[in-house]
Amino acid sequence: MEKETLLKFENVSFSYEDEKTDRSFAVKDISFSVYKGEFLAILGHNGSGKSTIAKLSNAIYLPTSGKVTVDGMDTSVPDNEIPIRKKVGVVFQNPDNQIVASIVEEDVAFGPENLAVPPKEIRMRVDDALKAVDMYDRRFSETHRLSGGQKQRVAIAGIIAMRPSCIVLDEPTAMLDPKGRADVMKTITALNKELGISIILITHFMEEAVAADRVMVVNNARIRAMGTPREVFSQREMLKECGLELPDAAKLCDVLKEKGFALRSDILTEEEFIDEIVKMSVKQRSEI
Ligand SMILES: Nc1ncnc2c1ncn2[C@@H]1O[C@H](COP(=O)(O)OP(=O)(O)O)[C@@H](O)[C@H]1O
Ligand SMILES: [Mg+2]
């Protein structure tokens, strides 16, 4: 089946400064596409341009040069701004900065209210969105009483209530504890797999990137690698140069291989690691 493009960056550069020297670019000549229903993870160390890419994806920023299109709509055309914001929602790192109302369901209603969605329709969308992030039971709770992970899920619900085709999440789990992180990741994966919403997840956690269909590595304002998690994580030298780690399971495998264990070299997840160890010990036993 032909993949349909949802978001497209074509030779996009962006500079925060008026004077455009080569070093002033936060994003430099990048081109990539995100397909409908795809889950793309973006990796890169601090200052590499990830948040700028997030903000370029729904017309919060406009390219200094090049073109960003959402479903064929150019982000730099003023009339496209509202339809683009409906299609692509952005969730940021700090949940406290994104909650605007004191009660959970009011907060989720805020986005669709701004889009002038009729009240009856808003009611329905808010309930659906809260169920999708597993926060429906807390709909009447005060937002300031929620944990970081719960707040982040409410922020995601606020975006879902706008019925987007794509959600961009800029390090949404960076400020959360392990339980909050796991809950937010579960929510993101379900939105992608069950509702078919395209996901762009910017993250520092390699384990989160492993869950994506494709991984993009940015370094010094440019795209350094793009491919499946297995393709990207097999490029050990490139990752090192970009200051990125390996997923824990892969790290552990590398250590064991150095010690002479004959393990597969493309292991990425804990499950794969355990399978491989089990296989190895079964083989050893049968050889005795
Ligand atoms: N508001 C801003 N004004 C000026 N420079 C900025 C601003 N935001 C980011 N930058 C610069 O742009 C570059 C890319 O930043 P950013 O997109 O935030 O990277 P990342 O999200 O990967 O950490 C960095 O050099 C950063 O210092
Ligand atoms: Mg950032």
Short mmCIF file of all heavy atoms in Angstrom, two decimals, residues 119-145:
data_model
loop_
_atom_site.label_atom_id
_atom_site.label_comp_id
_atom_site.label_asym_id
_atom_site.label_seq_id
_atom_site.Cartn_x
_atom_site.Cartn_y
_atom_site.Cartn_z
N PRO A 119 -21.04 23.27 21.69
CA PRO A 119 -20.96 22.73 23.06
C PRO A 119 -21.29 21.24 23.19
O PRO A 119 -20.60 20.52 23.92
CB PRO A 119 -22.00 23.57 23.82
CG PRO A 119 -22.08 24.85 23.06
CD PRO A 119 -21.80 24.52 21.63
N LYS A 120 -22.33 20.77 22.50
CA LYS A 120 -22.70 19.35 22.61
C LYS A 120 -21.58 18.45 22.12
O LYS A 120 -21.26 17.43 22.72
CB LYS A 120 -23.95 19.10 21.75
CG LYS A 120 -25.16 18.70 22.57
CD LYS A 120 -26.18 18.08 21.65
CE LYS A 120 -27.50 17.88 22.35
NZ LYS A 120 -28.62 17.93 21.39
N GLU A 121 -21.01 18.87 21.03
CA GLU A 121 -19.88 18.13 20.42
C GLU A 121 -18.67 18.17 21.36
O GLU A 121 -17.96 17.17 21.52
CB GLU A 121 -19.57 18.78 19.06
CG GLU A 121 -18.23 18.41 18.46
CD GLU A 121 -18.27 17.19 17.57
OE1 GLU A 121 -19.38 16.80 17.17
OE2 GLU A 121 -17.19 16.62 17.31
N ILE A 122 -18.45 19.32 22.02
CA ILE A 122 -17.32 19.44 22.96
C ILE A 122 -17.46 18.42 24.07
O ILE A 122 -16.53 17.70 24.42
CB ILE A 122 -17.23 20.87 23.56
CG1 ILE A 122 -16.80 21.86 22.46
CG2 ILE A 122 -16.22 20.91 24.72
CD1 ILE A 122 -16.67 23.29 22.92
N ARG A 123 -18.68 18.35 24.65
CA ARG A 123 -18.97 17.40 25.73
C ARG A 123 -18.52 15.98 25.34
O ARG A 123 -17.82 15.29 26.07
CB ARG A 123 -20.49 17.46 25.97
CG ARG A 123 -21.12 16.60 26.99
CD ARG A 123 -20.84 17.05 28.39
NE ARG A 123 -19.70 16.32 28.93
CZ ARG A 123 -18.94 16.73 29.92
NH1 ARG A 123 -19.17 17.89 30.51
NH2 ARG A 123 -17.96 15.99 30.36
N MET A 124 -18.93 15.59 24.13
CA MET A 124 -18.61 14.26 23.65
C MET A 124 -17.10 14.06 23.47
O MET A 124 -16.54 13.05 23.89
CB MET A 124 -19.29 14.07 22.29
CG MET A 124 -19.82 12.70 22.03
SD MET A 124 -20.86 12.76 20.56
CE MET A 124 -19.68 13.24 19.30
N ARG A 125 -16.49 15.07 22.87
CA ARG A 125 -15.05 14.97 22.60
C ARG A 125 -14.23 14.92 23.90
O ARG A 125 -13.24 14.20 23.99
CB ARG A 125 -14.58 16.18 21.80
CG ARG A 125 -15.02 16.17 20.37
CD ARG A 125 -14.27 17.25 19.67
NE ARG A 125 -14.68 17.45 18.31
CZ ARG A 125 -13.97 18.17 17.44
NH1 ARG A 125 -12.85 18.74 17.83
NH2 ARG A 125 -14.39 18.32 16.21
N VAL A 126 -14.67 15.70 24.90
CA VAL A 126 -13.94 15.74 26.17
C VAL A 126 -14.01 14.36 26.84
O VAL A 126 -13.00 13.83 27.31
CB VAL A 126 -14.50 16.84 27.10
CG1 VAL A 126 -13.98 16.69 28.53
CG2 VAL A 126 -14.14 18.22 26.55
N ASP A 127 -15.22 13.77 26.86
CA ASP A 127 -15.37 12.45 27.47
C ASP A 127 -14.52 11.41 26.74
O ASP A 127 -13.81 10.62 27.36
CB ASP A 127 -16.85 12.02 27.45
CG ASP A 127 -17.67 12.83 28.45
OD1 ASP A 127 -17.07 13.58 29.25
OD2 ASP A 127 -18.92 12.72 28.43
N ASP A 128 -14.58 11.43 25.40
CA ASP A 128 -13.79 10.48 24.61
C ASP A 128 -12.30 10.64 24.88
O ASP A 128 -11.58 9.65 25.06
CB ASP A 128 -14.02 10.70 23.10
CG ASP A 128 -15.37 10.16 22.66
OD1 ASP A 128 -16.04 9.51 23.48
OD2 ASP A 128 -15.75 10.41 21.50
N ALA A 129 -11.86 11.90 24.91
CA ALA A 129 -10.42 12.17 25.08
C ALA A 129 -9.96 11.71 26.46
O ALA A 129 -8.90 11.10 26.59
CB ALA A 129 -10.15 13.66 24.90
N LEU A 130 -10.78 11.96 27.49
CA LEU A 130 -10.39 11.55 28.84
C LEU A 130 -10.35 10.03 28.97
O LEU A 130 -9.51 9.47 29.66
CB LEU A 130 -11.34 12.17 29.87
CG LEU A 130 -11.04 13.65 30.15
CD1 LEU A 130 -12.17 14.29 30.96
CD2 LEU A 130 -9.71 13.82 30.89
N LYS A 131 -11.27 9.36 28.26
CA LYS A 131 -11.24 7.89 28.28
C LYS A 131 -9.99 7.39 27.57
O LYS A 131 -9.35 6.44 28.03
CB LYS A 131 -12.49 7.33 27.60
CG LYS A 131 -13.73 7.43 28.49
CD LYS A 131 -14.99 7.00 27.77
CE LYS A 131 -16.22 7.37 28.59
NZ LYS A 131 -17.46 7.37 27.78
N ALA A 132 -9.62 8.04 26.47
CA ALA A 132 -8.45 7.60 25.69
C ALA A 132 -7.16 7.68 26.49
O ALA A 132 -6.22 6.92 26.25
CB ALA A 132 -8.33 8.41 24.40
N VAL A 133 -7.08 8.63 27.44
CA VAL A 133 -5.85 8.74 28.25
C VAL A 133 -6.03 8.13 29.64
O VAL A 133 -5.21 8.30 30.53
CB VAL A 133 -5.37 10.21 28.38
CG1 VAL A 133 -5.11 10.82 27.01
CG2 VAL A 133 -6.35 11.06 29.19
N ASP A 134 -7.17 7.44 29.83
CA ASP A 134 -7.47 6.78 31.08
C ASP A 134 -7.56 7.76 32.26
O ASP A 134 -7.06 7.48 33.35
CB ASP A 134 -6.43 5.68 31.36
CG ASP A 134 -6.96 4.61 32.31
OD1 ASP A 134 -8.19 4.55 32.50
OD2 ASP A 134 -6.14 3.86 32.87
N MET A 135 -8.20 8.91 32.03
CA MET A 135 -8.37 9.90 33.10
C MET A 135 -9.84 10.28 33.28
O MET A 135 -10.15 11.26 33.95
CB MET A 135 -7.55 11.16 32.78
CG MET A 135 -6.05 11.03 33.02
SD MET A 135 -5.63 10.78 34.76
CE MET A 135 -5.92 12.43 35.40
N TYR A 136 -10.74 9.46 32.70
CA TYR A 136 -12.17 9.79 32.77
C TYR A 136 -12.68 9.81 34.22
O TYR A 136 -13.47 10.66 34.60
CB TYR A 136 -12.96 8.78 31.93
CG TYR A 136 -14.44 9.09 31.83
CD1 TYR A 136 -14.89 10.19 31.11
CD2 TYR A 136 -15.38 8.25 32.44
CE1 TYR A 136 -16.25 10.47 31.00
CE2 TYR A 136 -16.74 8.53 32.33
CZ TYR A 136 -17.17 9.63 31.62
OH TYR A 136 -18.51 9.92 31.53
N ASP A 137 -12.18 8.89 35.02
CA ASP A 137 -12.61 8.83 36.43
C ASP A 137 -12.19 10.08 37.20
O ASP A 137 -12.74 10.36 38.26
CB ASP A 137 -12.00 7.60 37.13
CG ASP A 137 -12.57 6.31 36.58
OD1 ASP A 137 -13.61 6.38 35.89
OD2 ASP A 137 -11.96 5.25 36.81
N ARG A 138 -11.21 10.77 36.71
CA ARG A 138 -10.71 11.97 37.40
C ARG A 138 -11.22 13.25 36.76
O ARG A 138 -10.65 14.33 36.98
CB ARG A 138 -9.17 11.97 37.39
CG ARG A 138 -8.51 10.78 38.06
CD ARG A 138 -8.85 10.65 39.54
NE ARG A 138 -8.41 11.80 40.32
CZ ARG A 138 -7.22 11.88 40.92
NH1 ARG A 138 -6.38 10.89 40.83
NH2 ARG A 138 -6.89 12.96 41.60
N ARG A 139 -12.30 13.16 35.95
CA ARG A 139 -12.72 14.34 35.17
C ARG A 139 -13.12 15.54 36.02
O ARG A 139 -13.01 16.68 35.57
CB ARG A 139 -13.83 13.98 34.18
CG ARG A 139 -15.15 13.50 34.79
CD ARG A 139 -16.00 12.89 33.69
NE ARG A 139 -17.29 12.40 34.19
CZ ARG A 139 -17.45 11.26 34.84
NH1 ARG A 139 -16.39 10.51 35.15
NH2 ARG A 139 -18.66 10.89 35.23
N PHE A 140 -13.59 15.30 37.25
CA PHE A 140 -13.99 16.43 38.11
C PHE A 140 -12.88 16.83 39.09
O PHE A 140 -13.08 17.69 39.94
CB PHE A 140 -15.26 16.09 38.90
CG PHE A 140 -16.41 15.67 38.02
CD1 PHE A 140 -17.06 14.47 38.22
CD2 PHE A 140 -16.84 16.50 36.97
CE1 PHE A 140 -18.12 14.08 37.40
CE2 PHE A 140 -17.88 16.11 36.14
CZ PHE A 140 -18.53 14.89 36.36
N SER A 141 -11.72 16.20 38.99
CA SER A 141 -10.63 16.50 39.93
C SER A 141 -10.03 17.88 39.66
O SER A 141 -10.08 18.39 38.55
CB SER A 141 -9.51 15.47 39.80
OG SER A 141 -9.97 14.20 40.15
N GLU A 142 -9.41 18.41 40.73
CA GLU A 142 -8.69 19.67 40.57
C GLU A 142 -7.34 19.35 39.92
O GLU A 142 -6.64 18.44 40.37
CB GLU A 142 -8.47 20.33 41.92
CG GLU A 142 -9.77 20.87 42.52
CD GLU A 142 -9.53 21.47 43.89
OE1 GLU A 142 -8.80 22.47 43.97
OE2 GLU A 142 -10.06 20.91 44.86
N THR A 143 -7.00 20.10 38.89
CA THR A 143 -5.79 19.79 38.13
C THR A 143 -4.52 19.89 38.99
O THR A 143 -3.60 19.10 38.80
CB THR A 143 -5.66 20.70 36.89
OG1 THR A 143 -5.93 22.05 37.27
CG2 THR A 143 -6.63 20.30 35.81
N HIS A 144 -4.49 20.82 39.95
CA HIS A 144 -3.25 20.97 40.72
C HIS A 144 -3.00 19.81 41.67
O HIS A 144 -1.90 19.67 42.21
CB HIS A 144 -3.23 22.31 41.47
CG HIS A 144 -4.09 22.35 42.69
ND1 HIS A 144 -5.41 22.77 42.65
CD2 HIS A 144 -3.85 22.00 43.97
CE1 HIS A 144 -5.92 22.67 43.87
NE2 HIS A 144 -4.99 22.21 44.69
N ARG A 145 -4.00 18.96 41.87
CA ARG A 145 -3.82 17.80 42.74
C ARG A 145 -3.27 16.58 41.99
O ARG A 145 -2.98 15.54 42.60
CB ARG A 145 -5.15 17.40 43.38
CG ARG A 145 -5.61 18.40 44.41
CD ARG A 145 -6.83 17.88 45.14
NE ARG A 145 -7.35 18.92 46.02
CZ ARG A 145 -6.86 19.19 47.22
NH1 ARG A 145 -5.88 18.46 47.70
NH2 ARG A 145 -7.37 20.16 47.94
#
